[in-house]
Amino acid sequence: MPIVRGQGQISLNPHLSYFVDSTSNLGLEEIQSKEFLPLKAKASAKIYSFGYTHDAIWFKLNFKTGNVIGNHFLQQRRWYIHHFDLWLFEIGSPKVQYFESGSLVAIKDRPFPHRTLVQSVKLNSNREYQMVFRGKTEQIFDIQMILWSERAFYNDNNFKILGDGIFYGGLLLMLVYNLILAFNLRDSAYFYYSLFLGNALLSIATLEGHSLEYLWPSLTFWNIWAFSLIRITGVVWIILYITTFLKTKEREPRLHRIFQVLVFLVLLNFPLAIFLPISSIQGLVNVYGFCGLSVLLVAVIRIYRAGHKETIFLVSALVIYLLMMIAILPRQLGLVNNVNFGMNAVKAMHIFDIMMLSLALSGRIRKIRKERSDAREALILETQRHTNELESKVQSRTLALEEALFEATTIQEKLIDTQAQMAQSEKMAGLGTLVAGVAHEINNPSSAVQIYMYNLKQDLAEFKKSLFDLAAEDSSKEVLDFFNNHFDKVHYKITQVEDASLRIKTIVEDLRSFSRLGEDERSPSDIEEAILAIKRLIIVQYGDFVKFEENFEVVPKLECWPALLNQVFMNIMINACQAIVSTGKIGNLHISSWVQDDDLVISFEDSGCGMSKKTQEKMFDPFFTTKPVGEGTGMGLSIVFGIVQKHKGTMKVHSELGQGTTIILHLPTQKNYNFELRLKDDTNT
């Protein structure tokens, strides 16, 4: 039984006992009655491996504490265990510390946010504890349990971060350098070598858990397949690199055909990954990788014997790669449990291979440079000869070409001017015809109404005067008041008709003004006024089924394309109303706006029928619609999405089937557009 003194680290593997749960259904209480076997892990071994297994494996450990200080950390360094549950019991105390983790749990949701499986535990001094944990995975089942003091854990973690930073930084620099060489030299061998470098970088990052931490923190399910599929692409890149570098298509055509078949078989693993378990995919990758590297080694040796001495570096790289594959095969098959090498050995192998492949390419650079230098000298000599012959012809034709160019330029400028004038004339002619027709048809009767209303007011005034003159002083005050009231009502109605005719005149003037505006011109728009105007338009059709609610925290004016935003608001509000009507019940459409992080946020929340996940995934696709044939084109939300993007905004949708839909627009206010913000006046609400 180990004793924890609170200093440094303790490897727990040699002290563990285990039980294999072939049903994967046993619980903690059921497992307590089972007989656990000693793990027989060697103290010198870094990892204890079970190979590929679909069983759940339980582990148990009893230990004592000395005078411990501060928190401790339990770490399973092999992070690719998919499900990992740990219970820590203090003997004689009812308290239990329980932790649920695993590679299928996002790092931010783990008991301790770390790329490996880490739990922070509280240990009391001079106590006895029992630790029980359970693991299940479709990857290789490896165990490397370590109990750390708090200080030792953070020191080790910081040291590893520094080492990984240097390692990844070096690989990234090599990747960038070789990509630059690939584009400058236009050599496909350098391009495939760069892809191999990137694949090696991604492979190690995935095996170490850094990909989950930084590249796809939310795609935990991808961890099951990531390393295997990355290895598949790695085999493809190294085959393509070496066959291109050695030009096997010309030098070894028979072996080259074998390489083509191998590349096809390796790529076939991508669709097979949908149907086969991960252990089978790993096995196929090992078989294809071993066969491919073996055939590559044969080809390299044959070409080396033919006199190409630079291939000795490729021989070294392939031999190390094959030895590493042979070394890890017993572990994958579960034939070797105690593993003495870890990620440092894998990194060293990758560094050695990268160095050997890079040294092979360095000789290629010298050869390419010499070939280009010779070609450049030959080209200079040939160019000088042709220059002397062409110089006289060029001089004789230069004057003719200059004259022709001047004439062509003059004609082109005239054509461009004429085309622009014709396009502008056609545009203005069409718009002028439309405005003239509308103005003529509306303005003439409007003017007539104004004239006759003016005459009617004069006649009414004269009639009133004549009537009162006839009545003179003989009429009673009640009669005179009666006539005055009726004349005032008629005068008021005439005034209303005059105002309406003036409004018609204003509309005509607005139409003329519109004809002078550009289609792409931005202008300040009152968002609240625009939304309320659209509401007044659609409430006529949907007012019996939809109750509109507004909550505008601000009265914003946004520099935008008003017509396009009106189309966005109209489409969203009509869709919301139709969703409410489809439920057969009276519903609510709540519209609100506020400012958040320099964005104007507008929310449309309805109580309609909502959308399924499948519908939400396709709702912005052109021509997708849930409406019956003939009732919708499926372009509405696609156009809306494009308009919002044109305003450099974003559009978020939250919906549940049967629960309603909320659409939230974020429109930038300060970065790209002018924005005026005034506090909402509650007295005018």
Side-chain angles (χ1 to χ4, degrees):
M1 179 181 298
I3 299 177
V4 178
R5 303 292 184 184
Q7 298 293 330
Q9 69 180 76
I10 298 177
S11 176
L12 301 181
N13 279 15
H15 309 287
L16 293 175
S17 57
Y18 74 100
F19 174 78
V20 178
D21 176 12
S22 58
T23 65
S24 300
N25 294 322
L26 296 180
L28 179 63
E29 295 182 358
E30 298 170 304
I31 209 68
Q32 294 290 357
S33 61
K34 302 296 182 180
E35 181 180 357
F36 281 67
L37 301 176
L39 189 61
K40 296 181 180 180
K42 295 180 180 179
S44 60
K46 293 180 177 296
I47 304 167
Y48 190 89
S49 178
F50 289 89
Y52 284 104
T53 176
H54 297 287
D55 300 329
I57 303 179
W58 291 79
F59 299 88
K60 184 185 294 185
L61 168 68
N62 289 357
F63 64 93
K64 293 181 179 180
T65 59
N67 293 322
V68 296
I69 300 175
N71 290 334
H72 285 68
F73 291 93
L74 277 169
Q75 181 184 32
Q76 155 63 326
R77 302 194 79 161
R78 304 301 100 191
W79 65 271
Y80 37 82
I81 303 299
H82 295 158
H83 302 282
F84 190 80
D85 302 307
L86 187 145
W87 295 264
L88 185 63
F89 304 90
E90 180 180 340
I91 305 301
S93 173
K95 294 182 179 180
V96 178
Q97 299 181 56
Y98 171 69
F99 307 94
E100 181 179 359
S101 187
S103 64
L104 297 184
V105 178
I107 292 178
K108 62 182 179 62
D109 298 328
R110 295 179 184 177
F112 186 84
H114 194 269
R115 59 184 177 81
T116 63
L117 308 181
V118 179
Q119 292 82 32
S120 176
V121 296
K122 177 67 176 178
L123 299 179
N124 296 318
S125 298
N126 302 313
R127 301 294 177 89
E128 184 176 348
Y129 289 87
Q130 183 182 70
M131 178 179 66
V132 179
F133 62 93
R134 170 187 179 272
K136 190 176 188 308
T137 184
E138 295 183 28
Q139 299 280 8
I140 295 177
F141 199 118
D142 291 338
I143 289 294
Q144 188 180 5
M145 289 294 295
I146 301 174
L147 179 62
W148 299 85
S149 67
E150 185 174 22
R151 181 178 180 181
F153 173 78
Y154 283 114
N155 287 341
D156 179 79
N157 192 59
N158 293 336
F159 179 78
K160 190 160 183 60
I161 289 174
L162 177 62
D164 289 338
I166 295 173
F167 177 78
Y168 291 132
L171 284 185
L172 280 173
L173 287 175
M174 290 191 65
L175 175 61
V176 173
Y177 172 73
N178 283 279
L179 281 174
I180 294 173
L181 284 179
F183 284 108
N184 287 337
L185 298 176
R186 290 175 174 78
D187 189 353
S188 56
Y190 272 95
F191 178 70
Y192 290 129
Y193 177 66
S194 300
L195 292 177
F196 171 76
L197 273 177
N199 185 270
L201 180 64
L202 188 59
S203 175
I204 294 174
T206 303
L207 194 58
E208 285 272 60
H210 291 110
S211 296
L212 174 63
E213 187 173 8
Y214 298 110
L215 300 182
W216 47 76
S218 300
L219 303 178
T220 54
F221 185 78
W222 170 240
N223 290 328
I224 299 177
W225 303 100
F227 181 68
S228 299
L229 299 182
I230 291 171
R231 284 191 65 198
I232 291 174
T233 55
V235 174
V236 172
W237 299 140
I238 196 170
I239 290 176
L240 292 176
Y241 159 66
I242 294 181
T243 54
T244 305
F245 179 81
L246 298 179
K247 299 179 180 179
T248 55
K249 188 175 182 180
E250 295 82 15
R251 295 172 177 172
E252 297 288 342
R254 292 183 180 178
L255 293 177
H256 186 78
R257 284 192 288 271
I258 296 176
F259 295 142
Q260 290 177 322
V261 173
L262 282 172
V263 169
F264 172 76
L265 293 175
V266 171
L267 293 177
L268 191 63
N269 282 272
F270 281 98
L272 288 177
I274 302 174
F275 308 102
L276 297 180
I278 189 65
S279 56
S280 300
I281 294 298
Q282 283 275 26
L284 288 174
V285 172
N286 290 335
V287 171
Y288 295 149
F290 185 82
C291 294
L293 295 176
S294 300
V295 178
L296 280 175
L297 185 59
V298 171
V300 170
I301 293 174
R302 289 169 63 106
I303 294 173
Y304 173 78
R305 289 180 175 178
H308 298 276
K309 301 302 180 183
E310 71 275 8
T311 57
I312 189 63
F313 299 111
L314 299 181
V315 173
S316 302
L318 291 173
V319 168
I320 293 298
Y321 215 122
L322 283 169
L323 290 176
M324 181 58 68
M325 292 189 66
I326 294 171
I328 65 175
L329 185 61
R331 170 190 171 193
Q332 293 179 341
L333 297 176
L335 301 177
V336 174
N337 302 119
N338 289 284
V339 181
N340 294 314
F341 61 88
M343 279 304 303
N344 290 333
V346 176
K347 290 179 180 178
M349 180 272 293
H350 277 287
I351 291 173
F352 180 83
D353 283 345
I354 289 170
M355 290 177 58
M356 292 297 102
L357 298 178
S358 182
L359 288 173
L361 282 175
S362 63
R364 187 180 183 87
I365 292 179
R366 292 191 296 269
K367 184 177 180 181
I368 291 175
R369 286 178 177 173
K370 185 177 184 307
E371 291 176 352
R372 290 189 175 184
S373 177
D374 295 341
R376 190 180 299 111
E377 292 178 359
L379 181 62
I380 290 173
L381 294 175
E382 187 70 14
T383 302
Q384 289 177 347
R385 185 177 66 84
H386 283 287
T387 300
N388 296 331
E389 295 178 359
L390 293 175
E391 190 172 15
S392 59
K393 295 181 180 180
V394 170
Q395 290 177 351
S396 63
R397 292 187 180 183
T398 299
L399 182 61
L401 288 174
E402 289 178 351
E403 294 176 355
L405 179 61
F406 177 78
E407 183 179 356
T409 303
T410 304
I411 295 173
Q412 182 183 19
E413 291 176 353
K414 291 181 179 179
L415 287 174
I416 292 174
D417 292 341
T418 303
Q419 184 180 13
Q421 293 174 3
M422 291 178 64
Q424 184 67 18
S425 298
E426 290 179 2
K427 177 180 178 181
M428 296 309 297
L431 191 57
T433 302
L434 174 63
V435 172
V438 173
H440 177 75
E441 294 298 329
I442 296 177
N443 206 32
N444 285 346
S446 175
S447 299
V449 169
Q450 290 180 352
I451 293 172
Y452 283 115
M453 284 297 101
Y454 176 79
N455 293 336
L456 183 59
K457 287 175 67 176
Q458 297 295 325
D459 292 344
L460 183 63
E462 292 177 2
F463 177 67
K464 179 180 180 181
K465 183 177 181 304
S466 300
L467 184 62
F468 277 87
D469 288 344
L470 288 174
E473 297 178 355
D474 297 336
S475 300
S476 65
K477 185 177 182 303
E478 290 79 3
V479 173
L480 294 177
D481 290 342
F482 175 79
F483 281 121
N484 274 327
N485 289 335
H486 279 72
F487 276 111
D488 289 343
K489 291 179 180 179
V490 174
H491 185 271
Y492 173 76
K493 294 178 180 178
I494 293 173
T495 302
Q496 294 297 313
V497 174
E498 280 185 321
D499 291 342
S501 65
L502 289 175
R503 177 60 180 158
I504 294 174
K505 184 178 180 181
T506 302
I507 293 174
V508 173
E509 292 300 325
D510 290 341
L511 188 59
R512 289 174 177 170
S513 298
F514 170 76
S515 67
R516 295 192 295 269
L517 295 177
E519 295 181 356
D520 293 329
E521 184 177 349
R522 291 204 313 264
S523 62
S525 176
D526 192 319
I527 300 301
E528 178 184 2
E529 181 181 345
I531 292 175
L532 293 178
I534 295 171
K535 167 194 166 182
R536 289 192 291 271
L537 290 175
I538 65 177
I539 201 172
V540 176
Q541 182 177 358
Y542 298 104
D544 294 337
F545 301 95
V546 181
K547 293 182 179 180
F548 292 84
E549 300 174 358
E550 300 86 30
N551 180 22
F552 299 103
E553 293 185 5
V554 295
V555 183
K557 279 192 176 181
L558 189 68
E559 186 84 5
C560 62
W561 289 271
L564 295 180
L565 276 187
N566 287 345
Q567 185 177 355
V568 171
F569 301 149
M570 175 72 80
N571 192 290
I572 293 175
M573 293 169 68
I574 288 179
N575 282 351
C577 291
Q578 290 174 346
I580 293 172
V581 171
S582 68
T583 64
K585 302 176 182 179
I586 297 176
N588 298 319
L589 174 55
H590 184 79
I591 307 171
S592 57
S593 69
W594 64 92
V595 173
Q596 176 183 328
D597 297 334
D598 296 334
D599 285 350
L600 171 62
V601 184
I602 308 171
S603 172
F604 301 85
E605 181 178 358
D606 67 69
S607 59
C609 59
M611 293 181 288
S612 65
K613 295 294 183 183
K614 184 176 181 181
T615 300
Q616 293 180 55
E617 291 173 358
K618 298 182 178 180
M619 62 184 294
F620 295 119
D621 293 349
F623 307 109
F624 174 77
T625 179
T626 58
K627 298 176 182 178
V629 177
E631 293 188 15
T633 62
M635 292 299 292
L637 285 178
S638 176
I639 294 174
V640 165
F641 187 75
I643 293 172
V644 173
Q645 283 191 321
K646 182 175 182 179
H647 285 81
K648 299 184 180 180
T650 59
M651 183 175 180
K652 299 179 181 178
V653 180
H654 305 283
S655 182
E656 291 187 13
L657 198 61
Q659 300 297 320
T661 299
T662 300
I663 295 180
I664 301 176
L665 304 179
H666 285 254
L667 300 173
T669 59
Q670 295 180 1
K671 296 179 181 178
N672 302 292
Y673 303 97
N674 295 326
F675 181 70
E676 178 182 338
L677 181 63
R678 305 190 305 275
L679 292 178
K680 184 71 175 181
D681 187 358
D682 294 335
T683 60
N684 298 326
T685 303

